[in-house]
Amino acid sequence: MMVEIIEQAELLQKTVECKEWSGPILTRVFNKTGVPGFELGSLGSAGFLKYKDRYFLVTASHVLSLVSEEKRLTDVVIPYLYGTETKNLMLIKHVDDKDSDIAVIEIDPYSARLMEQENRKCFLDHTLIDEDPLGYFDKISDVVFLHGITGEETNINYEDFIVEMETTPYTTFIERVDDASKRIVLLAGTDGINEFGQHGHKLPTFNGMSGSFAYSYRRDTETPFRLLGILSNGNKEAGFLWVIPFNEVTELIEKEFF
């Protein structure tokens, strides 16, 4: 592995920058429960991707496991604020690869543009995908910026149908690349330093963060963050998180949508 020492102050600064930069690209995935008074259920996290001028939601397959494949386009809910009201994105095609734990949903372009008009840029352009996610650890660095939304930090105002979400930036390091599974294994401590440089920061559980985007870091470039992969699963007690390299997502999109 190529060793590059990065000082803590730089990591803290870049954690804040990555949270701000990637924030609009985050979302949370819900499902229609059919339960009066509690109409939305929280499933997990996801990311927005603009790939060759088409709009996609990318998440882990198990995030959507509570929704039957026949109802994915009607019962999966991706909310966003439009003025003072909550709107939902229109979903038009769904692909699920359970073996790889990847799910991709295409979003209606008008619906996607409407969200982008109201909010800051929401879809990560495909040019910012890391071209060599498995080679990153060997050739560049072991630093990974993970930004997601934990289940504990998601609140739903059922009266007004406003979803409030607290995002969690988490900067960590690659422990290894597993040769058998081709998964990137990250260290997941139980406490550490938060984005403000405070020590002894108790980290949340990673429950609900499956499907979050993980980013590589290239210093001294105009856009230092690249989309490395998506969080499949992990456990802070076990001390590890597993990331699916994004080239697997790209291959699935190319095969099923183009």
Side-chain angles (χ1 to χ4, degrees), residues 155-171:
N155 301 304
I156 305 172
N157 180 337
Y158 288 100
E159 184 176 344
D160 299 323
F161 289 99
I162 299 297
V163 178
E164 299 174 349
M165 298 178 288
E166 184 76 22
T167 67
T168 301
Y170 183 58
T171 301

Side-chain angles (χ1 to χ4, degrees), residues 29-208:
V29 183
F30 300 87
N31 68 308
K32 296 178 182 177
T33 64
V35 178
F38 300 91
E39 287 80 1
L40 291 183
S42 182
L43 297 178
S45 298
F48 291 124
L49 176 70
K50 186 178 181 182
Y51 190 87
K52 297 182 178 179
D53 294 322
R54 290 165 69 176
Y55 299 88
F56 298 95
L57 176 100
V58 179
T59 188
S61 173
H62 74 266
V63 167
L64 304 181
S65 60
L66 291 178
V67 183
S68 67
E69 292 200 30
E70 295 75 20
K71 295 185 177 180
R72 293 277 169 90
L73 300 181
T74 57
D75 285 11
V76 170
V77 179
I78 312 297
Y80 68 96
L81 280 176
Y82 190 84
T84 58
E85 64 176 318
T86 299
K87 284 184 173 291
N88 299 326
L89 287 171
M90 182 182 296
L91 313 178
I92 58 176
K93 182 180 178 180
H94 165 261
V95 171
D96 196 343
D97 186 335
K98 293 182 178 61
D99 291 338
S100 298
D101 196 22
I102 300 169
V104 180
I105 300 179
E106 186 171 8
I107 300 168
D108 174 77
Y110 175 79
S111 181
R113 292 181 193 121
L114 191 67
M115 181 180 74
E116 289 217 302
Q117 287 172 6
E118 181 68 11
N119 300 273
R120 293 183 299 156
K121 183 172 179 61
C122 300
F123 288 83
L124 185 74
D125 193 81
H126 74 274
T127 57
L128 293 177
I129 295 173
D130 196 306
E131 295 181 356
D132 184 19
L134 291 176
Y136 170 68
F137 181 49
D138 290 327
K139 302 172 185 176
I140 308 296
S141 176
D142 63 347
V143 175
V144 172
F145 294 93
L146 182 69
H147 194 187
I149 307 166
T150 65
E152 292 80 0
E153 300 299 333
T154 301
N155 301 304
I156 305 172
N157 180 337
Y158 288 100
E159 184 176 344
D160 299 323
F161 289 99
I162 299 297
V163 178
E164 299 174 349
M165 298 178 288
E166 184 76 22
T167 67
T168 301
Y170 183 58
T171 301
T172 185
F173 303 92
I174 298 174
E175 199 272 340
R176 69 184 186 278
V177 174
D178 186 79
D179 290 332
S181 65
K182 302 301 181 184
R183 294 294 175 261
I184 301 168
V185 184
L186 309 182
L187 295 171
T190 56
D191 55 36
I193 302 170
N194 69 8
E195 60 186 300
F196 308 108
Q198 298 166 327
H199 289 260
H201 175 59
K202 195 71 176 178
L203 293 170
T205 65
F206 295 100
N207 178 42

